[in-house]
Amino acid sequence: MPRILNLHPDNPQTRLITQAVEIIQRGGVIALPTDSGYALGCALGDKDAMERVRSIRGLDGKHFFTLMVRDLSEISVYARVDNIAYRFLRQYTPGAYTFILPASSEAPRRLQHPKRKTVGVRVPEHPLTQALLQVLGEPLLSSTLILAGDSEPLCDPEEIKERVGKRLDLILDVGFCADQPTTVIDMAGDDMLLVRRGRGAIPAGVVEPD
């Protein structure tokens, strides 16, 4: 069974965050709360851990992961951000948004869309996720914790433990975490396009589908 750490949702204990980071750095796959529900996470450069996430979720190789980063400056390491995009991102990060951006040379190829050469990035505002990213010192590879055959993500740590606990190394437990998916905005083209309507409000200038 996985290790379970019970953390305060607003003021997570530093010693427990450090333990979680050590597990990630050793190749662990964890379940963690974010501002859009529970997610699976692993180290950015760990291909084996990434494949474990795919296996847990029942995904094929066409699924794209999201990079959870600390701040806007870290986005610019893994994505190409022009002046217009920078001003937009500065206004809407951190928050419940996922942005699709042109990948930079630092973005691992396996995370990029094979044809468009884009990456999905987000800056979460959940205190625990931010604390984890600060101590980790690099982005976390993440995927919403929704299992094959389910229509909704898992929101209860006890259910996560029961259904996939044996396949995880760690569960960061802050109690029930409501499913509030991010708003996804594609900024890789000439226009900013709404891909998914989620928790985040639709910013001015984003083109909504007909």
Side-chain angles (χ1 to χ4, degrees), residues 6-202:
N6 294 284
L7 293 101
H8 192 284
D10 299 318
N11 297 290
Q13 302 91 317
T14 301
R15 63 179 180 83
L16 299 183
I17 291 292
T18 300
Q19 292 174 26
V21 166
E22 291 172 350
I23 289 173
I24 293 169
Q25 291 173 334
R26 293 198 300 266
V29 173
I30 72 169
L32 72 156
T34 76
D35 48 342
S36 61
Y38 275 93
L40 296 172
C42 66
L44 172 61
D46 197 319
K47 184 177 179 180
D48 290 340
M50 183 179 75
E51 291 306 318
R52 285 179 59 198
V53 172
R54 289 191 194 277
S55 176
I56 291 168
R57 285 205 50 197
L59 301 170
D60 59 25
K62 296 180 180 180
H63 174 78
F64 299 106
F65 289 78
T66 297
L67 288 180
M68 287 201 296
V69 300
R70 289 172 286 183
D71 51 32
L72 179 53
S73 64
E74 201 164 54
I75 288 180
S76 64
V77 174
Y78 297 93
R80 291 188 283 112
V81 180
D82 61 22
N83 290 335
I84 295 175
Y86 182 88
R87 289 194 293 270
F88 184 88
L89 293 170
R90 184 173 61 183
Q91 184 175 356
Y92 290 100
T93 57
Y97 296 91
T98 298
F99 302 100
I100 299 172
L101 292 160
S104 75
S105 59
E106 295 297 319
R109 184 169 297 179
R110 64 178 178 275
L111 303 183
Q112 301 179 29
H113 189 288
K115 294 182 179 179
R116 300 186 65 209
K117 306 302 180 186
T118 55
V119 292
V121 296
R122 63 172 303 223
V123 183
E125 58 183 350
H126 194 289
L128 185 149
T129 316
Q130 270 292 335
L132 187 72
L133 290 169
Q134 291 295 333
V135 176
L136 183 62
E138 65 179 18
L140 189 71
L141 199 64
S142 69
S143 182
T144 303
L145 213 175
I146 181 169
L147 303 180
D150 288 0
S151 59
E152 301 291 337
L154 301 183
C155 300
D156 185 347
E158 288 300 318
E159 186 178 8
I160 294 172
K161 178 182 176 181
E162 178 181 341
R163 296 188 62 186
V164 295
K166 293 180 179 179
R167 306 177 71 181
L168 298 173
D169 299 288
L170 174 67
I171 297 174
L172 298 180
D173 184 352
V174 296
F176 184 85
C177 192
D179 170 30
Q180 298 177 309
T182 60
T183 292
V184 181
I185 300 173
D186 187 340
M187 303 178 65
D190 294 333
D191 296 315
M192 293 184 290
L193 304 176
L194 179 67
V195 177
R196 181 180 70 196
R197 186 187 299 271
R199 175 186 169 199
I202 309 303

